[in-house]
Amino acid sequence: MRQSIIWRFVVIILVLTVWGASLFPLNDQPFYEVLKEEAGKKADKKLDRLIERAQKIDNSNDGKVLTPPRAVLQIAEKRGINLRDYISIYNQPDASNEAVVDLVRRKAAGKLRLGLDLRGGTEFIVNFDKQKLIEKSPSRADDIEGARDEIIEILRNRVDQSGVVEAQLQPIGPTTISLKIPSIDADDVKGFRELVQQTAQLDFRMVHEDNDALVAQEKNKDFKEPIAYERMLMKASEDASAPPQVLYVKRFPEKVNGQHISRAFPSVNQFGSYSISLEFDTEGAALFADTTRASVGQRMAIVLDNTVYSAPNINEAITGGRAEISGNFTPDEATKLSVVLRCGNLPVPIEVVGEFSTDPTLGADSVKSGAYSALAGLILIFIFMVVYYMTAGVIADLALLANILLVMGTMTIAGATVTLPGIAGIVLTIGMAVDANVLIFERIREELRNKKSIKNAVLTGYDRAFITIIDANITTLITALILYRFGSGSIRGFAVTLSIGIMASLFTALFMTRTIFEFLIEKDWIKKIKMVDWVGERNFDFLKVGTLTKMASIALIALSVATMLVRGKAAFSVDFTGGTAITYNYVHEVPISDVRAALDKAGYTDARVSYKSSAQQETKLLEIVVASVEENDQDEASDAVVASVPEVDVKNEIQQMLNATFPDAEFAKGSKKEIGGLVGARFTKQALAAFGFSLLGIIAYITFRFEFAFAIGAVAALAHDIIICTGIFLIANFGERQLSLPVIAALLTIMGYSLNDTIVIFDRIRENVGLIKKKDYLEIVNLSLNSTISRTLLTSVTTMIVVVTLYIFGGGAINDFALVMLVGVLVGTYSSLFVATPVMIFWRNRSGGRQENQAATKTAKLAETTA
């Protein structure tokens, strides 16, 4: 056996082992057990007594819950115990107790983070003082809601900068915001609460030249603070017994401040202590250089939220545009503070005025049906691959299992939150990942038809499929990277998931399956490769039906655009428009699925239903969000939506309906308030900018790899698919469906699917143009379409298996998502054959390609004559 095959197997096993290990533990582990395990042989009676005492005070006498990490810290501090004596942290010999507890807490935490729909979470009601905002920025007196929206985006970036946490933010009135996070762990919630409330006002202030003398004179009765300076304490050092250092710093900070930060990230010095490294933008770097140049020999205090973290001496002008905040940080503190600084200062201090625990927004039945349908779709794909490709199908299934492991493992490493639509999307990604294997196997089939040996057919098949797979996936990856760079929130989350899926697919299809094939061939365990061929060789004239398909596309686009215009605002769900949130007290809880069904029957087809409770107020509430009556009354274009929310007291009407349907629940004490959408104006602008830049990236890459006409064809197919999918979705169910965030996720997925399909066909056209000299350009294009039809249809079939399963059995929670995908797969397959290529030919002819086509035709005829 060749040495390279052995090494490749070693790499595969190592990667799958590391990624598999990253999935565990799936659920949270007991903190004290993990603490003992980490201590190992160093554990002694002193540590055992500490744990025993901490367990006893978990629930204190005053009724306040003390979590295990906080209980351990409290006992350790009282008894002077250094936890680093039991648990060491790499490169931190003097690690604080907080750092050790933080390490144990992270190791005890379950790696699988479930979303608000599957597990529930915590809701913070955040408020700011309008008067304080006006005092700080008088120009914003007429733009209170603009300041609120700015705070929403800053908070969104703080809690969900990568887009994988799946937090939900929406305005409630001009000065109030609802923030929901998918976390119920007390320490996580505490960390989020601190992250949210921190103003992160970073200033640089000069320390008085005679600071030491001033501190020494403080005890004198006649001592007075120097004019224009104020007394501040420096943050405590690691030596808790040492008194905090006193500094007299200027009342007015220097011109450079936190607004000039371009990057902030945690770093570790040679002693293992954590600090925060700062990088300024161009203006900030110039201001920082001027300030330090004018203050050589003095001390500069780095002040964050009125706390001095460090006050280094300035030995020379600092022109590199960098600074560092040192302090007694734990890794978690340094990371969170870096995030806060990166996201910018809040325009005004905010306060958490309410906190609720929220139950999962999906009922147990919906969760089960969604999970079972996703699993069923996956199993059906495995069966189909084995039936159609036989031995090769078994190898593909092994690659798909590895793909699942890599995708889920990477998501846990990235700290991504798994939601039900996310699970469906992952399974769907796996279904689409079959495409790479299908592409390779169809290439192998072609080589076997040319009477090549099994070994040569496999090697040539992989070599010829390699460029196609790389081109298709890099185009999609460029789209994902641009969406991540310029998008925010869930757009970034989609980009992360898409990128993970692409990289996993490339590894398993091009590296793993090839290694397995070469191993089996080397061992002579494969005598023959059998595959079913339901499609066979075809010679259909795709271009001949161009007029018919053009008319069909124009008609569907016109119908879709007309539908969007007629539906208007009514096409958007409360995710975009906001609505009316109604809450009721209750005696007996009714399953969410039953409440939703009753609301659907009463005409509230787009209602959002969830339960939440407040430990402080000892209340349990049912919350229902429906479209605002005022908005619907203004939209005369949608009779259906107006009828669904009649002009009556919605709160009382829903309460009466629910009590009539569920008399034992005893819903009462209803309250009503208007809320904004989950998607704000700034988010929308960022999303549109991200889409625009992604289209430019697609055009640039395809032009580089092919030519400009191909790029125009690909973009035209994308626009065609998105418009028609949106239109058909809005027409479905007699116009009752509305665009929501899961629907947008489905449209983004269709965008990637369509692009991948189109690039595969374009790649075959490019290849055949270089190989075939005796046919004109249009004949080569038609031949290429016929050559790839088998792969196109098979990929569509495997994807449709998952989509149809999700649509039929997935339940209402993901029915919209599945419907868009169902339409998208059909339309995407159609557009790759009948839209992208004809548009490419049209543009090529229009821009001078006609002469090239005619020259190629003459060359082909001359070659035939010579022959």
Side-chain angles (χ1 to χ4, degrees), residues 428 432 746 749-750 799 803 817-826:
L428 189 60
M432 292 170 62
T749 307
I750 287 300
T799 308
V803 172
F817 178 91
L819 177 60
V820 175
M821 287 304 310
L822 183 63
V823 176
V825 171
L826 294 174

Side-chain angles (χ1 to χ4, degrees), residues 646-660:
E647 192 174 354
V648 294
D649 187 341
V650 180
K651 175 175 69 68
N652 289 332
E653 183 187 73
I654 291 178
Q655 181 177 335
Q656 291 170 12
M657 182 274 294
L658 289 176
N659 281 326

Side-chain angles (χ1 to χ4, degrees), residues 721-835:
D721 296 348
I722 296 299
I723 292 171
I724 292 178
C725 285
T726 304
I728 293 178
F729 173 79
L730 292 176
I731 294 171
N733 287 57
F734 305 102
E736 290 186 358
R737 293 184 186 265
Q738 293 181 305
L739 297 175
S740 60
L741 287 178
V743 171
I744 298 302
L747 289 172
L748 287 170
T749 307
I750 287 300
M751 188 172 155
Y753 179 87
S754 174
L755 189 61
N756 185 77
D757 226 11
T758 301
I759 295 299
V760 169
I761 293 173
F762 283 174
D763 195 85
R764 181 59 70 95
I765 293 173
R766 179 182 58 184
E767 179 186 331
N768 286 340
V769 166
L771 294 176
I772 302 173
K773 304 298 182 183
K774 295 185 179 182
K775 293 182 182 293
D776 67 21
Y777 191 78
L778 296 184
E779 285 182 297
I780 292 173
V781 168
N782 205 60
L783 176 65
S784 302
L785 290 170
N786 279 283
S787 299
T788 55
I789 188 65
S790 177
R791 169 257 154 210
T792 300
L793 294 179
L794 286 171
T795 301
S796 299
V797 167
T798 53
T799 308
M800 287 289 286
I801 288 173
V802 184
V803 172
V804 171
T805 306
L806 290 173
Y807 181 73
I808 296 174
F809 303 107
I814 56 174
N815 188 264
D816 286 351
F817 178 91
L819 177 60
V820 175
M821 287 304 310
L822 183 63
V823 176
V825 171
L826 294 174
V827 175
T829 303
Y830 164 86
S831 71
S832 63
L833 296 170
F834 298 108
V835 176

Side-chain angles (χ1 to χ4, degrees), residues 408-425:
M408 294 301 296
T410 307
M411 288 186 72
T412 58
I413 292 171
T417 299
V418 179
T419 61
L420 192 57
I423 292 173

